Amino acid sequence: QVHLMESGGGVVQPGRSLRLSCAVSGFSFNYYAMHWVRQAPGKGLEWVAGISYDSSSHFSADPVRGRFSISRDNSNNTLYLQMNTLRPDDTAIYFCARVGNIQLWGHLDSWGPGVQVTVSS
Amino acid sequence: SYVLTQSPSVSVAPGKTADITCGGDNLETQSVNWYKQRPGQAPVMVIYSDSDRPSGIPERFTGSKSGITATLTINRVEAGDEADYYCQVWDSSSLGVFGSGTRVTVL
């Protein structure tokens, strides 16, 4: 059974850093592209970043480019999101999601439950 | 940046049909995915590649597209269908794009 679980969230001051992890099980992690999607309080879904199955390609959304970086460790079945220079508008629930086919830009067929990140002084 | 437009809300009586639309420039060339999200829960994919339904999703959920408008149709609506629904595409310039979401209320 496919399982994704995020961790590493919490309350952090503006300007500080945080690293999110997404541990997966139940499938061959090294065959699938992965993405991070976030949801600010009371708002809709927002794509954050994506990475190919072999880490050869990775992209991020304009609001986080240069501050956030996505990476993965296929030997440990874990996806990461390094978040630097955090701002209050980064406050959101962060979800990791698996692409349902071999493409980087495919449908997101499995999601973790999400982890809360709050940026506040 | 690329924008997907959804109506904010749709209300439907149990047993009736709900149509949720999603519009965007050049959508006819894009592959549209749809996600359902209930309060406090993670999104669940209900339609991918315009009209394909993943295993475990009831046949009552169908997707279609005509020109620049994609439609998610929920037939024989049930109380459990009450949720927010988001369309999504991958755009060459904006990359990941979600619609603003449509809240479906079952009367």
Side-chain angles (χ1 to χ4, degrees), chain A residues 35 37 39 43-47 59-62 65 95 99 104-109 111-114, chain B residues 1 33 35 37 40-45 47-49 84 86 88 90 93-100:
Chain A
H35 292 265
V37 175
Q39 187 169 37
K43 302 298 184 181
L45 301 173
E46 179 186 24
W47 176 76
F59 300 88
S60 56
D62 285 345
R65 193 167 300 138
F95 299 97
V99 178
L104 174 56
W105 312 114
H107 50 274
L108 303 176
D109 71 342
W111 297 63
Chain B
S1 61
N33 308 308
Y35 303 92
Q37 186 183 33
Q41 296 184 15
V44 173
M45 185 180 72
I47 293 290
Y48 66 99
S49 299
D84 294 326
Y86 296 89
Q88 180 261 323
W90 300 104
S93 59
S94 301
L95 302 181
V97 181
F98 285 90
S100 52

Side-chain angles (χ1 to χ4, degrees), chain A residues 2-113:
Chain A
V2 174
H3 187 70
L4 296 81
M5 180 62 69
E6 304 89 345
S7 63
V11 180
V12 61
Q13 293 180 328
R16 304 297 292 265
S17 299
L18 208 58
R19 187 176 82 159
L20 303 182
S21 300
C22 172
V24 313
S25 61
F27 65 98
S28 297
F29 181 61
N30 56 331
Y31 287 162
Y32 291 86
M34 300 289 294
H35 292 265
W36 287 97
V37 175
R38 69 183 181 183
Q39 187 169 37
K43 302 298 184 181
L45 301 173
E46 179 186 24
W47 176 76
V48 175
I51 188 167
S52 61
Y53 70 98
D54 62 355
S55 301
S56 62
S57 298
H58 52 87
F59 300 88
S60 56
D62 285 345
V64 306
R65 193 167 300 138
R67 299 187 300 121
F68 292 11
S69 63
I70 187 172
S71 63
R72 62 190 296 160
D73 181 347
N74 284 351
S75 63
N76 285 313
N77 294 336
T78 304
L79 175 73
Y80 300 102
L81 184 68
Q82 178 67 43
M83 304 185 294
N84 299 329
T85 319
L86 281 160
R87 309 187 305 216
D89 62 357
D90 294 319
T91 295
I93 296 173
Y94 285 74
F95 299 97
C96 60
R98 184 189 82 166
V99 178
N101 55 33
I102 198 169
Q103 301 175 35
L104 174 56
W105 312 114
H107 50 274
L108 303 176
D109 71 342
S110 298
W111 297 63

Side-chain angles (χ1 to χ4, degrees), chain B residues 37-76:
Chain B
Q37 186 183 33
R38 302 198 72 178
Q41 296 184 15
V44 173
M45 185 180 72
V46 293
I47 293 290
Y48 66 99
S49 299
D50 297 340
S51 59
D52 290 335
R53 189 174 49 249
S55 60
I57 300 301
E59 293 183 4
R60 302 183 296 104
F61 287 79
T62 61
S64 63
K65 191 170 66 178
S66 177
I68 62 171
T69 301
T71 302
L72 173 67
T73 298
I74 311 173
N75 294 302
R76 302 180 300 283

